[in-house]
Amino acid sequence: MTPTPYVHDLLSLDGETVLVTGASGNIGGGIARRLAEAGAEAVVHFHRDKASATRLVDELGSGMIVQADLSDADAVDAMFAACRPTMVVNNAAVQPVQALDTMRFDDWRAMMSANLDGAFLVTQRAAGSWNGAGGAIVNIASTEGSDPAAGHAHYATSKAGLIMFSRAAALEYGPSGIRVNCVSPGLVDLDGLADDWPDGVSRWQERAPLGRLGTAKDVADAVLFLLSPAA
């Protein structure tokens, strides 16, 4: 039987290397910062925004940067050839707004490719590389996986799929000691959001029990818990 960690070790990720996809963005950056605070070595993934990824690693003072189009199986293979994570956070995603009646099939497929295919490829490659040694994966879904917003038919569907994928992966990889969970954030604050979308922010604040938007730190704390021995 594995001994129970001491309380002060329950949120420690010392010795772990965590790949955070989409870490050049707001939520991904917040997750990488929190996991680094917990002792993990961060592998900061980006697709196009190298400058933000570079600034984040400079801020952390350690870690590595990897670039990949996660919808491309060969690119994902190359990424795993360059890094050896012991844990993964599938955070990379896109969220365009588009009415269903004007949506092209290419738009639909692009959303599924970005938000589902990448998580599938990264999860499969990570689990395969661990060779039964255990590991942990957290997928960043959304409350829209069960409560869609107008203009988000493709996005909400992709996040509903990610939630079910997380459950299926947990079922299949659990016997190998790999834990798979997901976090479903609601509206997460971002610099300038209240100015750019005042009506949406106001509606969320009225609906939320705490009367505020979520933050990247809120999401990061949930991810830390699910990756840690406390979970």
Side-chain angles (χ1 to χ4, degrees):
M1 178 183 295
T2 302
T4 302
Y6 291 106
V7 170
H8 64 268
D9 293 328
L10 283 174
L11 294 177
S12 172
L13 296 183
D14 284 345
E16 304 289 355
T17 300
V18 187
L19 168 64
V20 182
T21 70
S24 58
N26 179 44
I27 294 176
I31 292 170
R33 290 182 184 93
R34 200 57 158 168
L35 302 185
E37 288 177 18
E41 184 78 359
V43 179
V44 174
H45 160 266
F46 75 97
H47 183 192
R48 296 186 177 90
D49 191 356
K50 183 177 182 179
S52 292
T54 300
R55 285 194 297 271
L56 176 59
V57 170
D58 288 344
E59 175 189 335
L60 297 178
S62 66
M64 69 177 296
I65 299 171
V66 291
Q67 188 278 335
D69 175 355
L70 300 181
S71 65
D72 182 327
D74 290 340
V76 174
D77 287 340
M79 180 176 71
F80 274 91
C83 66
R84 290 288 185 269
T86 60
M87 295 178 168
V88 166
V89 182
N90 283 310
N91 167 75
V94 296
Q95 193 183 16
V97 177
Q98 190 171 10
L100 187 55
D101 61 357
T102 63
M103 191 179 298
R104 303 170 302 164
F105 183 61
D106 286 349
D107 299 325
W108 176 270
R109 282 302 318 147
M111 177 67 73
M112 300 307 152
S113 181
N115 291 5
L116 270 178
D117 294 352
F120 159 72
L121 289 169
V122 171
T123 295
Q124 189 182 64
R125 301 308 191 269
S129 72
W130 292 333
N131 295 319
I137 298 168
V138 176
N139 298 322
I140 306 302
S142 169
T143 56
E144 289 203 46
S146 58
D147 186 15
H152 274 178
H154 49 357
Y155 175 78
T157 300
S158 73
K159 291 302 186 178
L162 186 57
I163 292 168
M164 191 53 64
F165 174 71
S166 302
R167 296 178 68 179
L171 178 67
E172 295 199 28
Y173 289 133
S176 298
I178 297 171
R179 297 180 292 112
V180 184
N181 289 281
C182 71
V183 174
S184 292
L187 186 59
V188 174
D189 203 3
L190 183 68
D191 287 344
L193 180 62
D195 295 329
D196 296 338
W197 195 36
D199 292 343
V201 169
S202 178
R203 287 196 303 271
W204 181 269
Q205 289 171 331
E206 291 173 1
R207 184 180 179 185
L210 294 180
R212 68 169 179 84
L213 276 61
T215 66
K217 181 179 177 298
D218 293 330
V219 181
D221 286 346
V223 172
L224 171 59
F225 168 73
L226 291 170
L227 289 177
S228 76

mmCIF file with all atom_site columns, all heavy atoms in Angstrom, residues 4 16 23 39 42-44 57 69 96-97 99 101-102 109 111 113 119 140 148 168-169 174 180 203 205 210 213 218:
data_model
loop_
_atom_site.group_PDB
_atom_site.id
_atom_site.type_symbol
_atom_site.label_atom_id
_atom_site.label_alt_id
_atom_site.label_comp_id
_atom_site.label_asym_id
_atom_site.label_entity_id
_atom_site.label_seq_id
_atom_site.pdbx_PDB_ins_code
_atom_site.Cartn_x
_atom_site.Cartn_y
_atom_site.Cartn_z
_atom_site.occupancy
_atom_site.B_iso_or_equiv
_atom_site.pdbx_formal_charge
_atom_site.auth_seq_id
_atom_site.auth_comp_id
_atom_site.auth_asym_id
_atom_site.auth_atom_id
_atom_site.pdbx_PDB_model_num
ATOM 1   N N   . THR A 1 4   ? 0.237   7.268  2.896   1.00 0.00 ? 4   THR A N   1
ATOM 2   C CA  . THR A 1 4   ? -0.464  8.541  2.740   1.00 0.00 ? 4   THR A CA  1
ATOM 3   C C   . THR A 1 4   ? 0.512   9.691  2.930   1.00 0.00 ? 4   THR A C   1
ATOM 4   O O   . THR A 1 4   ? 1.261   9.710  3.920   1.00 0.00 ? 4   THR A O   1
ATOM 5   C CB  . THR A 1 4   ? -1.595  8.665  3.781   1.00 0.00 ? 4   THR A CB  1
ATOM 6   O OG1 . THR A 1 4   ? -2.490  7.573  3.617   1.00 0.00 ? 4   THR A OG1 1
ATOM 7   C CG2 . THR A 1 4   ? -2.347  9.985  3.610   1.00 0.00 ? 4   THR A CG2 1
ATOM 8   N N   . GLU A 1 16  ? 7.942   16.340 -10.611 1.00 0.00 ? 16  GLU A N   1
ATOM 9   C CA  . GLU A 1 16  ? 7.074   16.129 -11.762 1.00 0.00 ? 16  GLU A CA  1
ATOM 10  C C   . GLU A 1 16  ? 7.410   17.104 -12.885 1.00 0.00 ? 16  GLU A C   1
ATOM 11  O O   . GLU A 1 16  ? 7.832   18.246 -12.641 1.00 0.00 ? 16  GLU A O   1
ATOM 12  C CB  . GLU A 1 16  ? 5.600   16.314 -11.378 1.00 0.00 ? 16  GLU A CB  1
ATOM 13  C CG  . GLU A 1 16  ? 5.124   15.438 -10.230 1.00 0.00 ? 16  GLU A CG  1
ATOM 14  C CD  . GLU A 1 16  ? 5.010   13.969 -10.604 1.00 0.00 ? 16  GLU A CD  1
ATOM 15  O OE1 . GLU A 1 16  ? 5.210   13.620 -11.788 1.00 0.00 ? 16  GLU A OE1 1
ATOM 16  O OE2 . GLU A 1 16  ? 4.729   13.154 -9.702  1.00 0.00 ? 16  GLU A OE2 1
ATOM 17  N N   . ALA A 1 23  ? -0.246  27.018 -23.203 1.00 0.00 ? 23  ALA A N   1
ATOM 18  C CA  . ALA A 1 23  ? 0.220   27.756 -22.021 1.00 0.00 ? 23  ALA A CA  1
ATOM 19  C C   . ALA A 1 23  ? 0.574   29.200 -22.319 1.00 0.00 ? 23  ALA A C   1
ATOM 20  O O   . ALA A 1 23  ? 0.838   29.972 -21.399 1.00 0.00 ? 23  ALA A O   1
ATOM 21  C CB  . ALA A 1 23  ? 1.421   27.049 -21.405 1.00 0.00 ? 23  ALA A CB  1
ATOM 22  N N   . GLY A 1 39  ? 6.199   23.142 -7.429  1.00 0.00 ? 39  GLY A N   1
ATOM 23  C CA  . GLY A 1 39  ? 7.429   22.396 -7.567  1.00 0.00 ? 39  GLY A CA  1
ATOM 24  C C   . GLY A 1 39  ? 7.623   21.682 -8.880  1.00 0.00 ? 39  GLY A C   1
ATOM 25  O O   . GLY A 1 39  ? 8.661   21.041 -9.101  1.00 0.00 ? 39  GLY A O   1
ATOM 26  N N   . ALA A 1 42  ? 7.757   23.006 -15.661 1.00 0.00 ? 42  ALA A N   1
ATOM 27  C CA  . ALA A 1 42  ? 6.721   23.269 -16.651 1.00 0.00 ? 42  ALA A CA  1
ATOM 28  C C   . ALA A 1 42  ? 7.248   23.097 -18.067 1.00 0.00 ? 42  ALA A C   1
ATOM 29  O O   . ALA A 1 42  ? 8.320   23.602 -18.408 1.00 0.00 ? 42  ALA A O   1
ATOM 30  C CB  . ALA A 1 42  ? 6.160   24.680 -16.483 1.00 0.00 ? 42  ALA A CB  1
ATOM 31  N N   . VAL A 1 43  ? 6.484   22.381 -18.879 1.00 0.00 ? 43  VAL A N   1
ATOM 32  C CA  . VAL A 1 43  ? 6.721   22.327 -20.312 1.00 0.00 ? 43  VAL A CA  1
ATOM 33  C C   . VAL A 1 43  ? 5.634   23.186 -20.951 1.00 0.00 ? 43  VAL A C   1
ATOM 34  O O   . VAL A 1 43  ? 4.452   22.832 -20.935 1.00 0.00 ? 43  VAL A O   1
ATOM 35  C CB  . VAL A 1 43  ? 6.667   20.893 -20.865 1.00 0.00 ? 43  VAL A CB  1
ATOM 36  C CG1 . VAL A 1 43  ? 6.892   20.898 -22.370 1.00 0.00 ? 43  VAL A CG1 1
ATOM 37  C CG2 . VAL A 1 43  ? 7.705   20.014 -20.172 1.00 0.00 ? 43  VAL A CG2 1
ATOM 38  N N   . VAL A 1 44  ? 6.021   24.330 -21.458 1.00 0.00 ? 44  VAL A N   1
ATOM 39  C CA  . VAL A 1 44  ? 5.097   25.347 -21.951 1.00 0.00 ? 44  VAL A CA  1
ATOM 40  C C   . VAL A 1 44  ? 4.883   25.157 -23.452 1.00 0.00 ? 44  VAL A C   1
ATOM 41  O O   . VAL A 1 44  ? 5.775   25.418 -24.258 1.00 0.00 ? 44  VAL A O   1
ATOM 42  C CB  . VAL A 1 44  ? 5.648   26.758 -21.644 1.00 0.00 ? 44  VAL A CB  1
ATOM 43  C CG1 . VAL A 1 44  ? 4.781   27.833 -22.276 1.00 0.00 ? 44  VAL A CG1 1
ATOM 44  C CG2 . VAL A 1 44  ? 5.756   26.963 -20.129 1.00 0.00 ? 44  VAL A CG2 1
ATOM 45  N N   . VAL A 1 57  ? 8.212   31.413 -19.564 1.00 0.00 ? 57  VAL A N   1
ATOM 46  C CA  . VAL A 1 57  ? 9.337   30.615 -19.076 1.00 0.00 ? 57  VAL A CA  1
ATOM 47  C C   . VAL A 1 57  ? 10.388  31.514 -18.420 1.00 0.00 ? 57  VAL A C   1
ATOM 48  O O   . VAL A 1 57  ? 10.979  31.148 -17.393 1.00 0.00 ? 57  VAL A O   1
ATOM 49  C CB  . VAL A 1 57  ? 9.948   29.784 -20.223 1.00 0.00 ? 57  VAL A CB  1
ATOM 50  C CG1 . VAL A 1 57  ? 11.260  29.143 -19.786 1.00 0.00 ? 57  VAL A CG1 1
ATOM 51  C CG2 . VAL A 1 57  ? 8.964   28.705 -20.677 1.00 0.00 ? 57  VAL A CG2 1
ATOM 52  N N   . ASP A 1 69  ? 1.341   22.096 -33.664 1.00 0.00 ? 69  ASP A N   1
ATOM 53  C CA  . ASP A 1 69  ? -0.064  22.099 -34.045 1.00 0.00 ? 69  ASP A CA  1
ATOM 54  C C   . ASP A 1 69  ? -0.623  20.784 -33.531 1.00 0.00 ? 69  ASP A C   1
ATOM 55  O O   . ASP A 1 69  ? -0.328  19.714 -34.075 1.00 0.00 ? 69  ASP A O   1
ATOM 56  C CB  . ASP A 1 69  ? -0.196  22.198 -35.566 1.00 0.00 ? 69  ASP A CB  1
ATOM 57  C CG  . ASP A 1 69  ? -1.634  22.091 -36.040 1.00 0.00 ? 69  ASP A CG  1
ATOM 58  O OD1 . ASP A 1 69  ? -2.542  21.837 -35.211 1.00 0.00 ? 69  ASP A OD1 1
ATOM 59  O OD2 . ASP A 1 69  ? -1.871  22.238 -37.258 1.00 0.00 ? 69  ASP A OD2 1
ATOM 60  N N   . PRO A 1 96  ? -14.262 30.627 -31.091 1.00 0.00 ? 96  PRO A N   1
ATOM 61  C CA  . PRO A 1 96  ? -14.922 31.641 -31.913 1.00 0.00 ? 96  PRO A CA  1
ATOM 62  C C   . PRO A 1 96  ? -16.436 31.619 -31.728 1.00 0.00 ? 96  PRO A C   1
ATOM 63  O O   . PRO A 1 96  ? -17.014 30.596 -31.338 1.00 0.00 ? 96  PRO A O   1
ATOM 64  C CB  . PRO A 1 96  ? -14.546 31.226 -33.342 1.00 0.00 ? 96  PRO A CB  1
ATOM 65  C CG  . PRO A 1 96  ? -14.360 29.753 -33.248 1.00 0.00 ? 96  PRO A CG  1
ATOM 66  C CD  . PRO A 1 96  ? -13.776 29.495 -31.892 1.00 0.00 ? 96  PRO A CD  1
ATOM 67  N N   . VAL A 1 97  ? -17.068 32.746 -31.991 1.00 0.00 ? 97  VAL A N   1
ATOM 68  C CA  . VAL A 1 97  ? -18.533 32.851 -31.942 1.00 0.00 ? 97  VAL A CA  1
ATOM 69  C C   . VAL A 1 97  ? -19.060 32.830 -33.363 1.00 0.00 ? 97  VAL A C   1
ATOM 70  O O   . VAL A 1 97  ? -18.607 33.605 -34.214 1.00 0.00 ? 97  VAL A O   1
ATOM 71  C CB  . VAL A 1 97  ? -18.962 34.148 -31.221 1.00 0.00 ? 97  VAL A CB  1
ATOM 72  C CG1 . VAL A 1 97  ? -20.484 34.296 -31.244 1.00 0.00 ? 97  VAL A CG1 1
ATOM 73  C CG2 . VAL A 1 97  ? -18.438 34.160 -29.786 1.00 0.00 ? 97  VAL A CG2 1
ATOM 74  N N   . ALA A 1 99  ? -22.884 31.837 -35.597 1.00 0.00 ? 99  ALA A N   1
ATOM 75  C CA  . ALA A 1 99  ? -24.251 31.319 -35.623 1.00 0.00 ? 99  ALA A CA  1
ATOM 76  C C   . ALA A 1 99  ? -24.296 29.986 -36.354 1.00 0.00 ? 99  ALA A C   1
ATOM 77  O O   . ALA A 1 99  ? -23.600 29.775 -37.349 1.00 0.00 ? 99  ALA A O   1
ATOM 78  C CB  . ALA A 1 99  ? -25.185 32.314 -36.304 1.00 0.00 ? 99  ALA A CB  1
ATOM 79  N N   . ASP A 1 101 ? -26.580 28.732 -38.249 1.00 0.00 ? 101 ASP A N   1
ATOM 80  C CA  . ASP A 1 101 ? -27.108 28.730 -39.618 1.00 0.00 ? 101 ASP A CA  1
ATOM 81  C C   . ASP A 1 101 ? -26.121 29.268 -40.645 1.00 0.00 ? 101 ASP A C   1
ATOM 82  O O   . ASP A 1 101 ? -26.316 29.086 -41.851 1.00 0.00 ? 101 ASP A O   1
ATOM 83  C CB  . ASP A 1 101 ? -28.440 29.487 -39.693 1.00 0.00 ? 101 ASP A CB  1
ATOM 84  C CG  . ASP A 1 101 ? -28.325 30.941 -39.299 1.00 0.00 ? 101 ASP A CG  1
ATOM 85  O OD1 . ASP A 1 101 ? -27.223 31.374 -38.910 1.00 0.00 ? 101 ASP A OD1 1
ATOM 86  O OD2 . ASP A 1 101 ? -29.344 31.661 -39.376 1.00 0.00 ? 101 ASP A OD2 1
ATOM 87  N N   . THR A 1 102 ? -25.046 29.911 -40.192 1.00 0.00 ? 102 THR A N   1
ATOM 88  C CA  . THR A 1 102 ? -24.018 30.393 -41.132 1.00 0.00 ? 102 THR A CA  1
ATOM 89  C C   . THR A 1 102 ? -22.722 29.575 -41.047 1.00 0.00 ? 102 THR A C   1
ATOM 90  O O   . THR A 1 102 ? -21.766 29.857 -41.764 1.00 0.00 ? 102 THR A O   1
ATOM 91  C CB  . THR A 1 102 ? -23.675 31.873 -40.869 1.00 0.00 ? 102 THR A CB  1
ATOM 92  O OG1 . THR A 1 102 ? -23.122 32.007 -39.554 1.00 0.00 ? 102 THR A OG1 1
ATOM 93  C CG2 . THR A 1 102 ? -24.928 32.747 -40.988 1.00 0.00 ? 102 THR A CG2 1
ATOM 94  N N   . ARG A 1 109 ? -15.466 21.428 -38.421 1.00 0.00 ? 109 ARG A N   1
ATOM 95  C CA  . ARG A 1 109 ? -14.356 20.500 -38.327 1.00 0.00 ? 109 ARG A CA  1
ATOM 96  C C   . ARG A 1 109 ? -13.129 21.166 -37.684 1.00 0.00 ? 109 ARG A C   1
ATOM 97  O O   . ARG A 1 109 ? -12.395 20.525 -36.932 1.00 0.00 ? 109 ARG A O   1
ATOM 98  C CB  . ARG A 1 109 ? -13.972 19.982 -39.719 1.00 0.00 ? 109 ARG A CB  1
ATOM 99  C CG  . ARG A 1 109 ? -14.884 18.910 -40.259 1.00 0.00 ? 109 ARG A CG  1
ATOM 100 C CD  . ARG A 1 109 ? -14.958 17.694 -39.367 1.00 0.00 ? 109 ARG A CD  1
ATOM 101 N NE  . ARG A 1 109 ? -13.657 17.310 -38.839 1.00 0.00 ? 109 ARG A NE  1
ATOM 102 C CZ  . ARG A 1 109 ? -13.474 16.757 -37.644 1.00 0.00 ? 109 ARG A CZ  1
ATOM 103 N NH1 . ARG A 1 109 ? -14.510 16.541 -36.855 1.00 0.00 ? 109 ARG A NH1 1
ATOM 104 N NH2 . ARG A 1 109 ? -12.273 16.421 -37.246 1.00 0.00 ? 109 ARG A NH2 1
ATOM 105 N N   . MET A 1 111 ? -13.116 23.396 -35.390 1.00 0.00 ? 111 MET A N   1
ATOM 106 C CA  . MET A 1 111 ? -13.343 23.433 -33.944 1.00 0.00 ? 111 MET A CA  1
ATOM 107 C C   . MET A 1 111 ? -13.068 22.068 -33.316 1.00 0.00 ? 111 MET A C   1
ATOM 108 O O   . MET A 1 111 ? -12.387 21.955 -32.290 1.00 0.00 ? 111 MET A O   1
ATOM 109 C CB  . MET A 1 111 ? -14.771 23.864 -33.642 1.00 0.00 ? 111 MET A CB  1
ATOM 110 C CG  . MET A 1 111 ? -15.127 23.861 -32.171 1.00 0.00 ? 111 MET A CG  1
ATOM 111 S SD  . MET A 1 111 ? -14.226 25.102 -31.217 1.00 0.00 ? 111 MET A SD  1
ATOM 112 C CE  . MET A 1 111 ? -15.061 26.573 -31.794 1.00 0.00 ? 111 MET A CE  1
ATOM 113 N N   . SER A 1 113 ? -11.236 19.704 -34.459 1.00 0.00 ? 113 SER A N   1
ATOM 114 C CA  . SER A 1 113 ? -9.810  19.407 -34.588 1.00 0.00 ? 113 SER A CA  1
ATOM 115 C C   . SER A 1 113 ? -9.006  20.082 -33.486 1.00 0.00 ? 113 SER A C   1
ATOM 116 O O   . SER A 1 113 ? -8.153  19.464 -32.840 1.00 0.00 ? 113 SER A O   1
ATOM 117 C CB  . SER A 1 113 ? -9.315  19.853 -35.963 1.00 0.00 ? 113 SER A CB  1
ATOM 118 O OG  . SER A 1 113 ? -7.952  19.555 -36.129 1.00 0.00 ? 113 SER A OG  1
ATOM 119 N N   . ALA A 1 119 ? -6.525  16.962 -27.796 1.00 0.00 ? 119 ALA A N   1
ATOM 120 C CA  . ALA A 1 119 ? -6.591  16.300 -26.492 1.00 0.00 ? 119 ALA A CA  1
ATOM 121 C C   . ALA A 1 119 ? -6.462  14.788 -26.644 1.00 0.00 ? 119 ALA A C   1
ATOM 122 O O   . ALA A 1 119 ? -5.800  14.114 -25.836 1.00 0.00 ? 119 ALA A O   1
ATOM 123 C CB  . ALA A 1 119 ? -7.895  16.659 -25.787 1.00 0.00 ? 119 ALA A CB  1
ATOM 124 N N   . ILE A 1 140 ? -9.105  20.617 -19.757 1.00 0.00 ? 140 ILE A N   1
ATOM 125 C CA  . ILE A 1 140 ? -9.864  21.833 -19.470 1.00 0.00 ? 140 ILE A CA  1
ATOM 126 C C   . ILE A 1 140 ? -11.065 21.874 -20.408 1.00 0.00 ? 140 ILE A C   1
ATOM 127 O O   . ILE A 1 140 ? -10.937 22.134 -21.606 1.00 0.00 ? 140 ILE A O   1
ATOM 128 C CB  . ILE A 1 140 ? -9.000  23.098 -19.636 1.00 0.00 ? 140 ILE A CB  1
ATOM 129 C CG1 . ILE A 1 140 ? -7.723  22.974 -18.789 1.00 0.00 ? 140 ILE A CG1 1
ATOM 130 C CG2 . ILE A 1 140 ? -9.805  24.332 -19.237 1.00 0.00 ? 140 ILE A CG2 1
ATOM 131 C CD1 . ILE A 1 140 ? -7.971  22.767 -17.304 1.00 0.00 ? 140 ILE A CD1 1
ATOM 132 N N   . PRO A 1 148 ? -24.893 25.282 -23.175 1.00 0.00 ? 148 PRO A N   1
ATOM 133 C CA  . PRO A 1 148 ? -24.334 26.045 -24.289 1.00 0.00 ? 148 PRO A CA  1
ATOM 134 C C   . PRO A 1 148 ? -24.851 27.471 -24.360 1.00 0.00 ? 148 PRO A C   1
ATOM 135 O O   . PRO A 1 148 ? -25.945 27.781 -23.894 1.00 0.00 ? 148 PRO A O   1
ATOM 136 C CB  . PRO A 1 148 ? -24.772 25.245 -25.520 1.00 0.00 ? 148 PRO A CB  1
ATOM 137 C CG  . PRO A 1 148 ? -26.021 24.552 -25.086 1.00 0.00 ? 148 PRO A CG  1
ATOM 138 C CD  . PRO A 1 148 ? -25.807 24.219 -23.635 1.00 0.00 ? 148 PRO A CD  1
ATOM 139 N N   . ALA A 1 168 ? -14.096 8.485  -20.405 1.00 0.00 ? 168 ALA A N   1
ATOM 140 C CA  . ALA A 1 168 ? -13.711 7.252  -21.092 1.00 0.00 ? 168 ALA A CA  1
ATOM 141 C C   . ALA A 1 168 ? -12.226 6.952  -20.882 1.00 0.00 ? 168 ALA A C   1
ATOM 142 O O   . ALA A 1 168 ? -11.830 5.796  -20.651 1.00 0.00 ? 168 ALA A O   1
ATOM 143 C CB  . ALA A 1 168 ? -14.024 7.373  -22.583 1.00 0.00 ? 168 ALA A CB  1
ATOM 144 N N   . ALA A 1 169 ? -11.377 7.987  -20.967 1.00 0.00 ? 169 ALA A N   1
ATOM 145 C CA  . ALA A 1 169 ? -9.946  7.783  -20.770 1.00 0.00 ? 169 ALA A CA  1
ATOM 146 C C   . ALA A 1 169 ? -9.641  7.351  -19.339 1.00 0.00 ? 169 ALA A C   1
ATOM 147 O O   . ALA A 1 169 ? -8.774  6.489  -19.106 1.00 0.00 ? 169 ALA A O   1
ATOM 148 C CB  . ALA A 1 169 ? -9.188  9.065  -21.114 1.00 0.00 ? 169 ALA A CB  1
ATOM 149 N N   . GLY A 1 174 ? -7.200  3.939  -16.074 1.00 0.00 ? 174 GLY A N   1
ATOM 150 C CA  . GLY A 1 174 ? -7.150  3.768  -14.624 1.00 0.00 ? 174 GLY A CA  1
ATOM 151 C C   . GLY A 1 174 ? -6.407  2.520  -14.168 1.00 0.00 ? 174 GLY A C   1
ATOM 152 O O   . GLY A 1 174 ? -5.605  2.579  -13.221 1.00 0.00 ? 174 GLY A O   1
ATOM 153 N N   . VAL A 1 180 ? -7.330  10.467 -14.898 1.00 0.00 ? 180 VAL A N   1
ATOM 154 C CA  . VAL A 1 180 ? -7.776  11.447 -15.895 1.00 0.00 ? 180 VAL A CA  1
ATOM 155 C C   . VAL A 1 180 ? -8.998  12.165 -15.342 1.00 0.00 ? 180 VAL A C   1
ATOM 156 O O   . VAL A 1 180 ? -9.987  11.528 -14.966 1.00 0.00 ? 180 VAL A O   1
ATOM 157 C CB  . VAL A 1 180 ? -8.127  10.789 -17.241 1.00 0.00 ? 180 VAL A CB  1
ATOM 158 C CG1 . VAL A 1 180 ? -8.486  11.859 -18.274 1.00 0.00 ? 180 VAL A CG1 1
ATOM 159 C CG2 . VAL A 1 180 ? -6.978  9.926  -17.747 1.00 0.00 ? 180 VAL A CG2 1
ATOM 160 N N   . ARG A 1 203 ? -24.250 39.914 -17.110 1.00 0.00 ? 203 ARG A N   1
ATOM 161 C CA  . ARG A 1 203 ? -25.151 38.764 -16.997 1.00 0.00 ? 203 ARG A CA  1
ATOM 162 C C   . ARG A 1 203 ? -24.536 37.656 -16.162 1.00 0.00 ? 203 ARG A C   1
ATOM 163 O O   . ARG A 1 203 ? -25.205 37.015 -15.349 1.00 0.00 ? 203 ARG A O   1
ATOM 164 C CB  . ARG A 1 203 ? -25.512 38.237 -18.390 1.00 0.00 ? 203 ARG A CB  1
ATOM 165 C CG  . ARG A 1 203 ? -26.460 39.118 -19.172 1.00 0.00 ? 203 ARG A CG  1
ATOM 166 C CD  . ARG A 1 203 ? -27.069 38.361 -20.346 1.00 0.00 ? 203 ARG A CD  1
ATOM 167 N NE  . ARG A 1 203 ? -26.071 37.817 -21.256 1.00 0.00 ? 203 ARG A NE  1
ATOM 168 C CZ  . ARG A 1 203 ? -25.572 38.485 -22.288 1.00 0.00 ? 203 ARG A CZ  1
ATOM 169 N NH1 . ARG A 1 203 ? -25.958 39.733 -22.524 1.00 0.00 ? 203 ARG A NH1 1
ATOM 170 N NH2 . ARG A 1 203 ? -24.677 37.917 -23.083 1.00 0.00 ? 203 ARG A NH2 1
ATOM 171 N N   . GLN A 1 205 ? -22.186 37.983 -13.813 1.00 0.00 ? 205 GLN A N   1
ATOM 172 C CA  . GLN A 1 205 ? -22.093 38.397 -12.419 1.00 0.00 ? 205 GLN A CA  1
ATOM 173 C C   . GLN A 1 205 ? -23.437 38.273 -11.716 1.00 0.00 ? 205 GLN A C   1
ATOM 174 O O   . GLN A 1 205 ? -23.505 37.910 -10.536 1.00 0.00 ? 205 GLN A O   1
ATOM 175 C CB  . GLN A 1 205 ? -21.586 39.837 -12.344 1.00 0.00 ? 205 GLN A CB  1
ATOM 176 C CG  . GLN A 1 205 ? -20.120 39.984 -12.718 1.00 0.00 ? 205 GLN A CG  1
ATOM 177 C CD  . GLN A 1 205 ? -19.695 41.426 -12.852 1.00 0.00 ? 205 GLN A CD  1
ATOM 178 O OE1 . GLN A 1 205 ? -20.493 42.305 -13.191 1.00 0.00 ? 205 GLN A OE1 1
ATOM 179 N NE2 . GLN A 1 205 ? -18.414 41.686 -12.593 1.00 0.00 ? 205 GLN A NE2 1
ATOM 180 N N   . LEU A 1 210 ? -21.321 33.830 -6.365  1.00 0.00 ? 210 LEU A N   1
ATOM 181 C CA  . LEU A 1 210 ? -20.363 34.732 -5.724  1.00 0.00 ? 210 LEU A CA  1
ATOM 182 C C   . LEU A 1 210 ? -20.374 36.126 -6.334  1.00 0.00 ? 210 LEU A C   1
ATOM 183 O O   . LEU A 1 210 ? -19.671 37.014 -5.855  1.00 0.00 ? 210 LEU A O   1
ATOM 184 C CB  . LEU A 1 210 ? -18.949 34.158 -5.803  1.00 0.00 ? 210 LEU A CB  1
ATOM 185 C CG  . LEU A 1 210 ? -18.700 32.872 -5.003  1.00 0.00 ? 210 LEU A CG  1
ATOM 186 C CD1 . LEU A 1 210 ? -17.253 32.419 -5.177  1.00 0.00 ? 210 LEU A CD1 1
ATOM 187 C CD2 . LEU A 1 210 ? -19.024 33.075 -3.528  1.00 0.00 ? 210 LEU A CD2 1
ATOM 188 N N   . LEU A 1 213 ? -16.677 36.986 -11.801 1.00 0.00 ? 213 LEU A N   1
ATOM 189 C CA  . LEU A 1 213 ? -16.149 36.075 -12.805 1.00 0.00 ? 213 LEU A CA  1
ATOM 190 C C   . LEU A 1 213 ? -15.111 35.150 -12.167 1.00 0.00 ? 213 LEU A C   1
ATOM 191 O O   . LEU A 1 213 ? -14.551 35.459 -11.114 1.00 0.00 ? 213 LEU A O   1
ATOM 192 C CB  . LEU A 1 213 ? -15.489 36.853 -13.945 1.00 0.00 ? 213 LEU A CB  1
ATOM 193 C CG  . LEU A 1 213 ? -16.387 37.374 -15.076 1.00 0.00 ? 213 LEU A CG  1
ATOM 194 C CD1 . LEU A 1 213 ? -17.426 38.344 -14.559 1.00 0.00 ? 213 LEU A CD1 1
ATOM 195 C CD2 . LEU A 1 213 ? -15.532 38.027 -16.157 1.00 0.00 ? 213 LEU A CD2 1
ATOM 196 N N   . ASP A 1 218 ? -8.267  30.550 -10.216 1.00 0.00 ? 218 ASP A N   1
ATOM 197 C CA  . ASP A 1 218 ? -9.292  29.593 -9.780  1.00 0.00 ? 218 ASP A CA  1
ATOM 198 C C   . ASP A 1 218 ? -9.143  28.275 -10.533 1.00 0.00 ? 218 ASP A C   1
ATOM 199 O O   . ASP A 1 218 ? -9.201  27.189 -9.949  1.00 0.00 ? 218 ASP A O   1
ATOM 200 C CB  . ASP A 1 218 ? -10.699 30.144 -10.045 1.00 0.00 ? 218 ASP A CB  1
ATOM 201 C CG  . ASP A 1 218 ? -11.054 31.347 -9.200  1.00 0.00 ? 218 ASP A CG  1
ATOM 202 O OD1 . ASP A 1 218 ? -10.541 31.454 -8.070  1.00 0.00 ? 218 ASP A OD1 1
ATOM 203 O OD2 . ASP A 1 218 ? -11.848 32.178 -9.664  1.00 0.00 ? 218 ASP A OD2 1
#
